[in-house]
Amino acid sequence: MKHRISLFLPLLITLVLLFLPTPEGLAPYAWRFFAVFAGAIVGLILEPLPGAVVGLTAVVIITLGSEWLLFSPEQQAAPHFNLPGMSFKWAVSGFSNSTVWLIFSAFMFAAGYEKTRFGRRLALLLVKYLGRRTLTLGYAIAFADLLLAPFTPSNTARSGGTLYPIISNLPPLYGSKPNDPSARLIGSYLMWVAITATCITSSMFLSALAPNLLALALVKNLVGITISWGTWFLAFLPLGILLLLTLPLLAYWLYPPGVKENAEVPRWAESELAKLGKLSRKEILLLVFVCMALLCWIFATAFIEPAVAGLMVVVLMLLSGVLDWSDITGNKPAWNTFVWFATLVTLAAGLSDVGFIAWLGKLGAQMLGGIPPVQATLALVLAFYLLHYLFASTTAHTTALLPAVLAIGVAIPGINVMVFCLLLVTSLGIMGIITPYGTGPSPIYYGSGYLPTADYWRLGTIFGAIFLVLLLVIGYPWMLMVV
């Protein structure tokens, strides 16, 4: 029954909007496009079908009904206008978006980490040398995530797939059991540090969270601003460093573990490293290749498109044997994300093409009329951040709200558009901490049995508030200076 309701609601939302009068100042075909878009967003939130299926379905519906949903009568009346050809060109436009290909390349980097087991080696090395005390073990977890983040666009794969299997082996060494009072001995602390660290690193690097790259494409398509890897990193750098350096200590104070010393943990990590053996040729090559990609993303954007740099490294991994072609064709998460995000980029760009974004921005600016630009910026970022409580997917949040908030902010006279965009997009990672469903790995740690529901909501509120306040108090002034 629940599945049927989830399937029916997106259709119902679309039909209701289609039969409502077109708002003043908006073309009828633009309102009809928005009706289908809104239905797709509801589908992404409820997830009766995989996100890629929802997005592809919406694109196909709009393409089939492009005469009424996508193109104005004036466009269709233009000489040599070919409706089927133009409709198809719009439908596949997201698949040629450079950011979508950058996402795909980054997923291949993550596949290299997994296949060579280099990510596991990095994490175990940090645990071995920093794991003697619980506090330093917390830092080891945070630094392990930091090292993997620039090349792993799925924080679920990074934290849930690489770090969690390692971390989950540590609490039993001290009798800390899930769903038991003993969880607080050490397990609860480690799990909370892990999920919080991945939220911070997801904001710190453009390539550390797939919705970051989606947001980058939306900003470029809707506002015309290009945010480079280096610009993103520099904008969040002071706040990111501060949060990573204080996170384990803050969690140690607010959610103290019962066990302070961990003599067994380094010995366990050493035994696991022994099983991995010496650093392999493929691990060394992988390290060289990902450093090459990072250097291109930071210093060579004037000469090579970041997506091309990513694809170049994928080719090098294939030629050197770090990855096989079957690793590419068999990587279902990468292809799923590729199709999903390509369709979402298409749909969001379509909102701008039909004039809906411009109309919404004008309307929102009128509602905020008279408010100074700084206060308007703070209010919009605050609303964008807190509305994440309504979403179980950062991707859905980005697709649904970012175009609308961008449209309103850009239309406000005097607002610093670049800084406004950076505040919005860099908040996507840290906002994931506020709920047990806020970001991909959240359900993994929530379901570990070490983080009771009441504790998770309480800590999520505390840390979420700290992150937001520091973003506005430290991040905002810093971005105004450096951008």
Side-chain angles (χ1 to χ4, degrees), residues 225-467:
I225 288 178
T226 299
I227 300 174
S228 68
W229 196 99
T231 300
W232 183 302
F233 178 68
L234 180 62
F236 198 78
L237 182 59
L239 181 56
I241 292 175
L242 174 64
L243 291 177
L244 282 175
L245 290 179
T246 57
L247 156 67
L249 183 60
L250 187 60
Y252 196 80
W253 289 338
L254 297 177
Y255 204 44
V259 174
K260 312 296 182 183
E261 300 285 337
N262 306 308
E264 289 295 324
V265 169
R267 284 196 287 267
W268 173 83
E270 188 172 10
S271 67
E272 291 297 307
L273 282 167
K275 295 177 185 177
L276 290 178
K278 295 182 179 180
L279 196 67
S280 68
R281 167 185 166 274
K282 290 184 178 181
E283 287 178 282
I284 295 172
L285 286 172
L286 175 67
L287 180 59
V288 171
F289 293 154
V290 295
C291 288
M292 184 187 302
L294 186 60
L295 290 173
C296 288
W297 291 344
I298 297 174
F299 300 111
T301 53
F303 310 102
I304 181 171
E305 171 70 35
V308 176
L311 290 173
M312 175 186 68
V313 170
V314 172
V315 170
L316 289 173
M317 287 195 290
L318 288 169
L319 294 177
S320 63
V322 172
L323 290 179
D324 299 322
W325 183 242
S326 59
D327 297 319
I328 306 293
T329 58
N331 195 323
K332 291 182 179 180
W335 289 110
N336 175 67
T337 304
F338 178 77
V339 174
W340 185 8
F341 280 28
T343 56
L344 294 183
V345 168
T346 300
L347 290 170
L351 275 181
S352 179
D353 295 339
V354 300
F356 184 87
I357 292 297
W359 170 82
L360 182 64
K362 184 178 179 180
L363 183 65
Q366 290 174 351
M367 295 173 62
L368 293 176
I371 299 178
V374 172
Q375 284 88 326
T377 298
L378 296 176
L380 288 171
V381 172
L382 179 65
F384 184 72
Y385 190 93
L386 294 179
L387 283 171
H388 192 59
Y389 276 104
L390 304 179
F391 292 88
S393 162
T394 309
T395 302
H397 180 119
T398 304
T399 309
L401 296 184
L402 185 59
V405 178
L406 281 174
I408 295 170
V410 170
I412 296 173
I415 202 166
N416 188 319
V417 178
M418 183 65 167
V419 171
F420 177 63
C421 292
L422 282 170
L423 284 170
L424 292 177
V425 297
T426 56
S427 72
L428 291 171
I430 55 176
M431 68 173 60
I433 197 61
I434 62 178
T435 68
Y437 50 81
T439 190
S442 297
I444 296 173
Y445 289 99
Y446 176 59
S448 68
Y450 288 101
L451 294 172
T453 301
D455 288 358
Y456 203 115
W457 282 99
R458 176 175 60 84
L459 292 169
T461 300
I462 294 171
F463 279 77
I466 292 171
F467 290 172

Side-chain angles (χ1 to χ4, degrees), residues 117-128 137 140-141 144-145 148 158-173 190-191 194 265 268-270 272-273 276 445:
R117 309 192 78 183
F118 185 63
R120 179 176 177 83
R121 185 185 297 276
L122 283 177
L124 287 171
L125 281 170
L126 286 169
V127 170
K128 175 184 175 181
L137 181 56
I141 292 170
D145 198 295
L148 296 174
R158 177 173 75 250
S159 188
T162 300
L163 295 180
Y164 176 76
I166 297 173
I167 298 168
S168 62
N169 283 291
L170 304 181
L173 298 176
L190 297 182
M191 296 299 171
V265 169
W268 173 83
E270 188 172 10
E272 291 297 307
L273 282 167
L276 290 178
Y445 289 99

